[in-house]
Structure formats: structure tokens, C-alpha cells
């Protein structure tokens, strides 16, 4: 099985909850103290983050919670890289499905590493009851079967979240190489990790890790809401027809990719 790390603020009551869930399955985890950037004074925080880089990409600076989140995960990657073993990183508000224990933990490390450096096991701010419609809107391109898992790359991988992900040792080394220095990106800006760091980022279907955002209010979400502009209801309604059209186009692309893959398998090219 993979090593399991849980990132949590020291003294958080969430620790006991997720520790019990894992212990009930006969599993242990290693808690990693999250970094609380809210405790920094202005000068110390300015040294840690790059607001200009963040504003150029997101139209706003990063909140202290977002900077602390990135720093917390980045501080854990060296341990995984040194271990030479793949690991699963969870945040302490993670809720775990049975498939997490029965399928993900028993998947071959070498098989996963052959397909990805990082596999996202869940998605931020997604309730279980909305998962099926999300799978419709966000299909995977060229999904691959790895053991009992389906993994692939979705059309949209923007801020998919970091509530739970698998990362290989080599993936941790890649992440460290490109994500050093002042923090000017969101941790879950996975396209940036892909394009800037060369990481192969895949997602799991169906998801097996869920964020308990409805019962556990996140300090990151609170501080981010202050800095972000909210979309109006009218704007959201105007987008709905476009989303339906976009979804149809995505599934057409998936069908074409599947047809191409089947044809290549049936009629392989010979040198």
C-alpha cells in the first residue's frame, strides 16, 4: 500500500475524525503540520509570495490561506521524493469512499507511474450528489484502465482541488524542481504544473475522495471569497446553453479519439 499523509493545522479537531476513518480500516497515516500564513506579519508574508505573478494569471493576489496551502504541500514533497515511494496526500477535511480503500490503495505503483506523475482522486467543492452530472460535463480524454481504476485527462483541469491526490516519487521531484521560490500560483493550478513543470496530471473516475466543504468551512474559501469577484445569477444563467454546447463538443472529441485508438489497434503501423 501507499504511504498516506494528512495535511492538517496543529491542534485541528479534524485530525481525530480522519484518523478514526483510517484506523477503522486498519490503516495508519502520518500527519503533516499545515503552514498557517495568517500568523505572518506583512513583511514575512511579502517575502513568501509573489502577488504580481498571481495577479497576472488570476486577476487577483493570493490569499494567505492559499499561500499557506501551497507551502504546506510543497513542504511535504521532499519527504516523498527522498522515500522513493509513491504516496497519497489528503487534506484533513477529506471524506473517503469504499473504493479508496478497496481499489486505489491496492493499485500497482509501477502501473500508475507509467501513466501519470499525479492522479487527482477528488475535486474541490463537489458534493457526491453532483458527481454524475460532473462526469457528463467533464469527460476524460483517452481514459486508461489501471488495475480497477479509470484514469485520464479531462478537458478542464483548472483548480480541480487538492483534497486528495496520489503522487509518485519522481512526480514529487518534478514538482519541487519547478515550484521553488516565492509562491505566485495556486497549488491546484494543475495546468501550470503540467505546462511549466512537465508533470503528467491525470484524474480518477469515479472520484473516491470528497471535500467536506458543506460541513467544515474552509478558512481558505473565506479569504478567497474576499479577493474574488462573484458572478451574477444572470451571468450564470446565460452560460448554461454554452455549457451544453461545449459538453456535446467534448463528447464528440472523446468519440473521435476512441475511434482513432481502436483503428490504430486494429491496423497498427509497421516500420
Amino acid at each position: 500500500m501507499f504511504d498516506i499523509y494528512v495535511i492538517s493545522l496543529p491542534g485541528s479537531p479534524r485530525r481525530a475524525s480522519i484518523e478514526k476513518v483510517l484506523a477503522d480500516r486498519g490503516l495508519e497515516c502520518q500527519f503533516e503540520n499545515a503552514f498557517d500564513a495568517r500568523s505572518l506579519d506583512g513583511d514575512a508574508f511579502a517575502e513568501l509570495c509573489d502577488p504580481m505573478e498571481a495577479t497576472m494569471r488570476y486577476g487577483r493576489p493570493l490569499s494567505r490561506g492559499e499561500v499557506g496551502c501551497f507551502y504546506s504541500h510543497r513542504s511535504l514533497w521532499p519527504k516523498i521524493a527522498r522515500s522513493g515511494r509513491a504516496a497519497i496526500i489528503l487534506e484533513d477535511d477529506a471524506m473517503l469512499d469504499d473504493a479508496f480503500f478497496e481499489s486505489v490503495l491496492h493499485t500497482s505503483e509501477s502501473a500508475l507511474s507509467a501513466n501519470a506523475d499525479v492522479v487527482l482522486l477528488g475535486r474541490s467543492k463537489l458534493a457526491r450528489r453532483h458527481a454524475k452530472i460532473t462526469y457528463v460535463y467533464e469527460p476524460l480524454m483517452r481514459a486508461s484502465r489501471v488495475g480497477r481504476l479509470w484514469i485520464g485527462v479531462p478537458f478542464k483541469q483548472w483548480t480541480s482541488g487538492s483534497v486528495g491526490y496520489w503522487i509518485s516519487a519522481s512526480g514529487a521531484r518534478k514538482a519541487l524542481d519547478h515550484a521553488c521560490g516565492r509562491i505566485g500560483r495556486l497549488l491546484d493550478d494543475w495546468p501550470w504544473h503540467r505546462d511549466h513543470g512537465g508533470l503528467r496530471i491525470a484524474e480518477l473516475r469515479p472520484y473516491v475522495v470528497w471535500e467536506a466543504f458543506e460541513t467544515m468551512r474552509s478558512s481558505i474559501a473565506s479569504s478567497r471569497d474576499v479577493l474574488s469577484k462573484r458572478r451574477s445569477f444572470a451571468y450564470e444563467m446565460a452560460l448554461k446553453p454554452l455549457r451544453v454546447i461545449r459538453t456535446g463538443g467534448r463528447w464528440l472529441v472523446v468519440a473521435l479519439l476512441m475511434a482513432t485508438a481502436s483503428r490504430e489497434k486494429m491496423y497498427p503501423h509497421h516500420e
Side-chain angles (χ1 to χ4, degrees):
M1 290 189 183
F2 305 115
D3 295 328
I4 301 174
Y5 297 94
V6 177
I7 295 177
S8 176
L9 287 169
S12 171
R14 300 178 183 182
R15 290 193 176 201
S17 176
I18 193 167
E19 186 175 34
K20 183 179 186 307
V21 169
L22 294 169
D24 286 347
R25 296 282 188 151
L27 299 171
E28 294 182 352
C29 66
Q30 299 180 50
F31 284 103
E32 295 293 322
N33 289 335
F35 178 74
D36 192 352
R38 296 171 299 179
S39 63
L40 300 178
D41 62 31
D43 291 339
F45 183 69
E47 290 181 7
L48 187 62
C49 65
D50 188 339
M52 185 175 296
E53 183 179 351
T55 301
M56 287 177 62
R57 186 162 178 88
Y58 312 119
R60 63 171 179 84
L62 301 182
S63 71
R64 287 178 176 254
E66 289 167 334
V67 171
C69 176
F70 197 120
Y71 190 91
S72 300
H73 284 256
R74 188 175 69 180
S75 298
L76 178 53
W77 294 337
K79 182 180 291 188
I80 297 170
R82 289 193 301 268
S83 75
R85 290 169 46 85
I88 290 174
I89 300 177
L90 302 172
E91 295 180 340
D92 62 2
D93 58 351
M95 301 183 295
L96 310 174
D97 279 354
D98 288 343
F100 173 84
F101 302 98
E102 297 165 2
S103 298
V104 173
L105 292 181
H106 297 281
T107 302
S108 162
E109 178 177 338
S110 59
L112 276 176
S113 297
N115 287 270
D117 297 308
V118 173
V119 179
L120 307 181
L121 306 177
R123 179 177 283 260
S124 177
K125 301 298 180 288
L126 175 66
R128 281 190 180 101
R129 63 184 180 277
H130 297 146
K132 290 183 179 179
I133 190 64
T134 299
Y135 301 150
V136 173
Y137 281 126
E138 304 293 342
L140 296 178
M141 296 182 285
R142 294 187 181 277
S144 302
R145 187 80 171 179
V146 180
R148 287 185 282 178
L149 308 178
W150 279 103
I151 66 169
V153 179
F155 288 82
K156 178 184 176 183
Q157 211 167 28
W158 185 258
T159 60
S160 293
S162 55
V163 65
Y165 60 94
W166 172 95
I167 185 169
S168 67
S170 61
R173 286 190 288 271
K174 285 183 183 180
L176 285 168
D177 287 343
H178 91 98
C180 56
R182 296 170 70 199
I183 296 170
R185 302 297 172 99
L186 295 165
L187 170 69
D188 60 345
D189 186 345
W190 299 112
W192 175 69
H193 290 288
R194 178 195 65 212
D195 299 336
H196 186 265
L199 276 82
R200 298 169 299 157
I201 313 290
E203 284 193 15
L204 181 67
R205 291 290 190 280
Y207 296 130
V208 298
V209 180
W210 309 89
E211 182 183 1
F213 66 96
E214 294 174 310
T215 56
M216 299 180 184
R217 180 61 175 166
S218 167
S219 59
I220 294 179
S222 301
S223 56
R224 180 177 56 228
D225 290 346
V226 173
L227 296 169
S228 301
K229 295 180 180 178
R230 289 183 175 274
R231 291 176 174 177
S232 67
F233 177 75
Y235 182 82
E236 289 290 342
M237 292 301 294
L239 285 180
K240 281 195 171 183
L242 296 177
R243 286 175 178 153
V244 172
I245 294 171
R246 182 187 64 185
T247 300
R250 287 176 173 178
W251 280 103
L252 178 60
V253 171
V254 170
L256 291 172
L257 290 173
M258 291 176 62
T260 301
S262 298
R263 183 175 178 81
E264 289 177 349
K265 187 176 293 186
M266 189 176 298
Y267 303 106
H269 295 288
H270 298 284
E271 295 291 338

